[in-house]
Amino acid sequence: MATDPHRLRNYVDGEFRDAADGRSTEVVDPATGEPYTTAPCSGPADVDAAMTAAEAAFPAWRDTTPGERQKVLLRIADAFEARAEELTATESRDTGKPLHITRAEEIPPAVDQIRFFAGAARMLEGRSAGEYARGLTSLVRREPVGVCAQVAPWNYPLMMAVWKFAPALAAGNTVVLKPSDTTPASTVLIAGIVGDVLAGLGHPRGVFNVLCGDRDTGRLMVEHPAPAMVSVTGSVRAGHEVAATASISLKRVHLELGGKAPVVVFEDADLDRAVEGIRAAGFFNAGQDCTAATRVLVHESVHDAFTSALAKAAAATRTGAPDDESAYYGPLNNADQLARVSGFIDRLPAHATVLTGGHRIGATGYFYAPTVVAGLKQDDEIVQDEVFGPVVTVQPFTDEAQAVAYANGVEYGLASSVWTRDHARAMRMSKALDFGCVWINTHIPVAAEMPHGGYKKSGYGKDLSAYGFEDYTRIKHVMTSLDA
């Protein structure tokens, strides 16, 4: 069974299967630090079987109409709603996230995003047919790219699975999706849901396949000759490796990587609103979000008051187990991530000051206190590198030019925000900030209709929106003689 709490399985060509060589890995509950199930550790035979299934299913799925694909996605969305509690419980167990947060903040957007791409399937846009050379008519076809190899991260395993498979299927592609080895359970559950919908509507189950496994499994997927496109959400290191490997066979690559979002607070901002917005966006999901509000830049005239208020708000933010209704966030996802976050604090320079937090909570699980660090310089490690934990840094700036220089002075370019009452300043900043998203007087909301993706070492390609949908298509020029 897909939902067997003691053993997860791959989903290949409509069947749940163990790894061909029997290898498996333990899946650890981050709230306890103890293993609670096992998942396959897929090898070459498993990857080949999944890719073969996706290749075999592609012609039939490619030839479906947009309306038929829409119907599939709408049924999947309905199934997500019907099984919302099961999805919530599975996701929370795997990630340690509070149940009440997952139920309210992740399941409804995931359903909405599937429904958006169901509609997008029927709204392809392009240049109209016309005569651009005498006696010849040209038109443009948009076609699916083929088999898509997709790798999802551990911070939002359910939602990132949706961001990947929904546009791919809507465009007519077939999918082999790998969840993180630390959070495979919700993706395995999704596989059963999608497979049942496909079969119920008479489509090949091989349209959607899920492989559990480790980094080597992902590498095998990228190396396999079947995929025409590779989509990965993960670290910059992973992006480098995927891009290099995919380049050998010239596969199309879609990368959503790390972030180090600047949050620029000017002296005229509503400081109470900014403190609460940054607290919420900085500590949501334990700061394990590449768009998290983790790097705050505050005008020097309000720096001390703002920093004190933010530290107080952070100290009042609770972390706890999934069933803790008062918890705003849960544990870090795994032992390695706990060690990474702790390492940043342990290595702080002497001029830095931890205003609150900066330590693990409890002896079991991977809980970390909400942390605010001040007294930092632009070239400090914790300012330049992604922490991916409940840690917010604060730096003062003197004027708008310095704010822009500090904000852009990192290798990432995913998301940013500006807090000001001055409309002209907000517009200048939105132009100057070198990030794929600029929020004004808010931070972290996304909309299915709007693109999500970054610049520089944050990767390339867009998720969500019509732009994300188009990333899963290819363009063909067709020209015909009018004399025929």
Side-chain angles (χ1 to χ4, degrees), residues 295 297 351 376-385 395-396 402-410:
R295 185 167 59 103
L297 308 172
H351 54 260
L376 295 163
K377 299 178 181 179
Q378 181 67 10
D379 60 356
D380 286 336
E381 177 196 33
I382 200 169
V383 171
Q384 290 294 317
D385 294 343
Q395 298 168 257
Q402 188 178 59
V404 170
Y406 280 2
N408 290 343
V410 294

Side-chain angles (χ1 to χ4, degrees), residues 182-256:
T182 67
T183 56
S186 61
T187 309
V188 173
L189 178 57
I190 288 169
I193 292 172
V194 174
D196 287 348
V197 170
L198 287 167
L201 292 173
H203 301 291
R205 289 179 185 245
V207 167
F208 184 73
N209 307 272
V210 167
L211 289 176
C212 300
D214 57 13
R215 186 181 303 173
D216 287 339
T217 308
R219 177 181 52 78
L220 289 167
M221 290 170 59
V222 178
E223 291 175 349
H224 198 279
M229 178 174 177
V230 177
S231 174
V232 174
T233 299
S235 67
V236 174
R237 174 198 54 76
H240 283 151
E241 293 177 2
V242 167
T245 302
S247 70
I248 296 171
S249 53
L250 296 179
K251 292 180 172 67
R252 183 182 296 198
V253 179
H254 182 285
L255 299 174
E256 201 272 85

Side-chain angles (χ1 to χ4, degrees), residues 311 314-315 329 345 354-361 368-373 390-391:
Y329 68 87
I345 301 302
V354 177
L355 299 179
T356 189
H359 57 84
R360 181 180 183 176
I361 296 177
Y368 202 84
T371 301
V372 177
V373 183
V391 178

Side-chain angles (χ1 to χ4, degrees), residues 262-419:
V263 182
V264 185
V265 181
F266 285 95
E267 66 275 16
D268 66 335
D270 182 333
L271 295 186
D272 290 339
R273 178 178 176 182
V275 165
E276 175 51 28
I278 293 164
R279 180 207 68 84
F283 299 120
F284 187 80
N285 195 28
Q288 298 171 127
D289 189 314
C290 46
T291 64
T294 59
R295 185 167 59 103
V296 184
L297 308 172
V298 187
H299 191 269
E300 59 184 5
S301 66
V302 295
H303 172 270
D304 292 351
F306 176 89
T307 303
S308 176
L310 180 62
K312 183 178 179 180
T317 302
R318 280 186 46 77
T319 180
D323 59 355
D324 185 347
E325 290 287 326
S326 67
Y328 183 67
Y329 68 87
L332 295 170
N333 180 257
N334 54 75
D336 288 345
Q337 191 60 21
L338 175 62
R340 175 179 172 82
V341 173
S342 299
F344 274 97
I345 301 302
D346 293 343
R347 295 188 301 272
L348 283 174
H351 54 260
T353 302
V354 177
L355 299 179
T356 189
H359 57 84
R360 181 180 183 176
I361 296 177
T364 59
Y366 309 129
F367 297 93
Y368 202 84
T371 301
V372 177
V373 183
L376 295 163
K377 299 178 181 179
Q378 181 67 10
D379 60 356
D380 286 336
E381 177 196 33
I382 200 169
V383 171
Q384 290 294 317
D385 294 343
E386 186 175 40
V387 178
F388 222 58
V391 178
V392 175
T393 65
V394 185
Q395 298 168 257
F397 67 85
T398 58
D399 56 24
E400 191 172 313
Q402 188 178 59
V404 170
Y406 280 2
N408 290 343
V410 294
E411 293 183 328
Y412 302 93
L414 184 57
S416 58
S417 65
V418 179
W419 300 74

Side-chain angles (χ1 to χ4, degrees), residues 463-477:
D463 290 309
L464 302 178
S465 79
Y467 301 100
F469 176 55
E470 289 175 359
D471 275 359
Y472 285 93
T473 68
R474 64 184 189 181
I475 297 172
K476 179 184 289 182
H477 171 216

